[in-house]
Amino acid sequence: MKASGVGLRSFLMLCRRIVPVRVASLAPLKAAALDLALLASRFLVYPAGIVQERQRPSGLLGIPVGDGLARALALRGRPTGSLTEAKPPVVLLHGFIDNRSALALLRHHLVRQGGRQVVSLNYSPLTCDIRAAAAELGRRIEEVCERTGSQQVDVVGHSLGGLIARYYAQRLGGDARVRTLVTLGTPHSGTRVAPLADVHPIVRQMRPGSPILKELSRPAPGCRTHFYAFWSDLDRAMDPLETARIEHPDLAVKNVQVSGVGHLSLLVHPAVATGIRLALDTPNSQLLTLRADAGPVDRGVLIHRRTSGNGRAGRRRPRKSLSTSVKKASAPSSMSISIQELEALGLRD
């Protein structure tokens, strides 16, 4: 009887780690349930993303360009602006043991709502080294630039994909090509979850203190890429949670906290998709102005959707970040920026 009691307590402790239910809030349970549902759905759609995305001659992925794009945006009632000036292609990069099929909803949002040219890339599931994957990403980005005539691209990377893209931009000279890098649930400082997965070499590279993470912590003066790191207070793939933030004195970083969203849900949550689009549409010059005005205080940011008693979403409101409400930033280049500040720039639909 005593042994069975110990076993039951151990099981309950494991369940609490995976689904940390608190009486005061059902948010962790809802986030875990959605992540489990998304994980199950991945098995169904995974075969559709095994092969690389096919490029079509009418423009990157068949998206109209030039006057064709202007007409398409005008029909949707969206401002056309100067289409030749500033919207580079967006490259999407999936996470560990996944493929481009996981990026379908985010890709659809960026095409339909953002009027962007988007390409979703696959890297091999047999990839065992972040450095090699980053070098291959660089070759693929060169192909995208050559095909589209663009000098730069924006990149959105989920989990391991964000780490691969960061290594390319920060260590392989990719900052000349990557204008903005958005990472979603990426273990920038390493994660301690699933210790049994250390048999895979690339998992060992995502552990705290690994040689590749030490490389990324080295000085990176003059890095031209602008970084947005989206991290969630309910991302169970990140241990500790704040490892998905970028803390580096030489990088221009905006860390954005998302409330009540699990690791896989970062790719499908509408508020996150809107935040990504706003980040990509914000001119870097305006971000630099905001950073200068903010001073040496890191104001943690939360994308939060309040729900009423009937479960329907209400108005969005800012809340204090889980990490810290007010603290000294490591350097003026590393700070947070709120969705409200981005919207204030007049970039929202």
Side-chain angles (χ1 to χ4, degrees), residues 280-296:
L280 297 181
D281 285 350
T282 303
N284 289 337
S285 59
Q286 289 177 285
L287 292 177
L288 290 170
T289 302
L290 282 172
R291 186 168 68 240
D293 293 343

Side-chain angles (χ1 to χ4, degrees), residues 82-219:
S82 178
L83 297 173
T84 59
E85 57 179 42
K87 281 198 174 184
V90 179
V91 173
L92 303 182
L93 205 58
H94 60 81
F96 180 57
I97 313 181
D98 213 334
N99 62 33
R100 63 181 179 85
S101 61
L103 307 165
L105 290 178
L106 178 58
R107 178 188 180 279
H108 178 81
H109 178 89
L110 293 175
V111 171
R112 295 297 180 183
Q113 301 299 322
R116 304 296 291 257
Q117 301 179 70
V118 182
V119 57
S120 301
L121 296 181
N122 278 347
Y123 54 88
S124 171
L126 302 178
T127 297
C128 293
D129 182 60
I130 288 176
R131 301 176 187 86
E136 176 61 23
L137 173 63
R139 290 188 285 271
R140 301 296 300 281
I141 286 178
E142 290 298 322
E143 293 174 4
V144 171
C145 289
E146 182 179 356
R147 185 167 57 250
T148 62
S150 177
Q151 295 300 309
Q152 290 185 304
V153 299
D154 291 334
V155 180
V156 180
H158 178 241
S159 195
L160 173 60
L163 209 55
I164 292 171
R166 180 183 170 188
Y167 192 90
Y168 166 65
Q170 186 179 330
R171 302 293 300 171
L172 301 182
D175 60 321
R177 288 296 195 191
V178 180
R179 186 190 69 158
T180 301
L181 171 58
V182 177
T183 66
L184 308 172
T186 293
H188 292 286
S189 299
T191 180
R192 298 188 293 262
V193 299
L196 296 180
D198 281 355
V199 296
H200 197 296
I202 212 164
V203 173
R204 294 197 295 271
Q205 291 185 334
M206 292 189 284
R207 296 304 189 197
S210 71
I212 199 159
L213 294 184
K214 289 181 179 178
E215 278 190 62
L216 290 175
S217 68
R218 293 175 186 169

Side-chain angles (χ1 to χ4, degrees), residues 8-343:
L8 178 60
R9 284 196 298 271
S10 300
F11 175 73
L12 291 176
M13 289 177 64
L14 177 61
C15 290
R16 192 174 295 114
R17 175 72 184 98
I18 298 173
V19 185
V21 181
R22 294 173 292 180
V23 176
S25 173
L26 291 178
L29 181 60
K30 292 177 180 178
L34 180 55
D35 258 12
L36 288 174
L38 288 171
L39 181 61
S41 69
R42 297 297 307 118
F43 291 100
L44 298 177
V45 300
Y46 190 92
I50 292 177
V51 298
Q52 292 287 359
E53 205 163 42
R54 185 166 58 92
Q55 309 303 319
R56 298 168 187 157
S58 59
L60 186 61
L61 304 184
I63 298 170
V65 294
D67 294 339
L69 180 56
R71 288 193 296 272
L73 293 177
L75 287 174
R76 296 182 189 133
R78 295 177 54 83
T80 58
S82 178
L83 297 173
T84 59
E85 57 179 42
K87 281 198 174 184
V90 179
V91 173
L92 303 182
L93 205 58
H94 60 81
F96 180 57
I97 313 181
D98 213 334
N99 62 33
R100 63 181 179 85
S101 61
L103 307 165
L105 290 178
L106 178 58
R107 178 188 180 279
H108 178 81
H109 178 89
L110 293 175
V111 171
R112 295 297 180 183
Q113 301 299 322
R116 304 296 291 257
Q117 301 179 70
V118 182
V119 57
S120 301
L121 296 181
N122 278 347
Y123 54 88
S124 171
L126 302 178
T127 297
C128 293
D129 182 60
I130 288 176
R131 301 176 187 86
E136 176 61 23
L137 173 63
R139 290 188 285 271
R140 301 296 300 281
I141 286 178
E142 290 298 322
E143 293 174 4
V144 171
C145 289
E146 182 179 356
R147 185 167 57 250
T148 62
S150 177
Q151 295 300 309
Q152 290 185 304
V153 299
D154 291 334
V155 180
V156 180
H158 178 241
S159 195
L160 173 60
L163 209 55
I164 292 171
R166 180 183 170 188
Y167 192 90
Y168 166 65
Q170 186 179 330
R171 302 293 300 171
L172 301 182
D175 60 321
R177 288 296 195 191
V178 180
R179 186 190 69 158
T180 301
L181 171 58
V182 177
T183 66
L184 308 172
T186 293
H188 292 286
S189 299
T191 180
R192 298 188 293 262
V193 299
L196 296 180
D198 281 355
V199 296
H200 197 296
I202 212 164
V203 173
R204 294 197 295 271
Q205 291 185 334
M206 292 189 284
R207 296 304 189 197
S210 71
I212 199 159
L213 294 184
K214 289 181 179 178
E215 278 190 62
L216 290 175
S217 68
R218 293 175 186 169
C223 183
R224 291 161 285 185
T225 298
H226 285 71
F227 298 84
Y228 287 84
F230 285 68
W231 66 289
S232 173
D233 58 350
L234 294 180
D235 187 342
R236 294 296 145 193
M238 299 295 108
D239 182 17
L241 294 172
E242 292 84 356
T243 191
R245 294 168 56 96
I246 297 178
E247 304 291 350
H248 195 293
D250 294 333
L251 303 181
V253 178
K254 292 86 191 172
N255 292 302
V256 183
Q257 183 185 350
V258 183
S259 175
V261 179
H263 186 70
L264 298 178
S265 306
L266 286 166
L267 287 172
V268 301
H269 198 284
V272 177
T274 299
I276 293 170
R277 178 167 53 85
L278 290 170
L280 297 181
D281 285 350
T282 303
N284 289 337
S285 59
Q286 289 177 285
L287 292 177
L288 290 170
T289 302
L290 282 172
R291 186 168 68 240
D293 293 343
V297 175
D298 183 350
R299 297 162 296 155
V301 174
L302 189 60
I303 300 177
H304 174 69
R305 297 192 72 187
R306 186 174 64 181
T307 56
S308 58
N310 58 12
R312 289 178 297 183
R315 63 183 178 86
R316 191 179 302 150
R317 64 175 183 177
R319 273 177 32 186
K320 291 182 180 179
S321 167
L322 178 71
S323 56
T324 51
S325 55
V326 178
K327 71 176 183 178
K328 291 292 183 67
S330 56
S333 62
S334 179
M335 61 160 287
S336 297
I337 183 171
S338 70
I339 294 299
Q340 288 76 20
E341 287 174 313
L342 288 172
E343 292 173 347

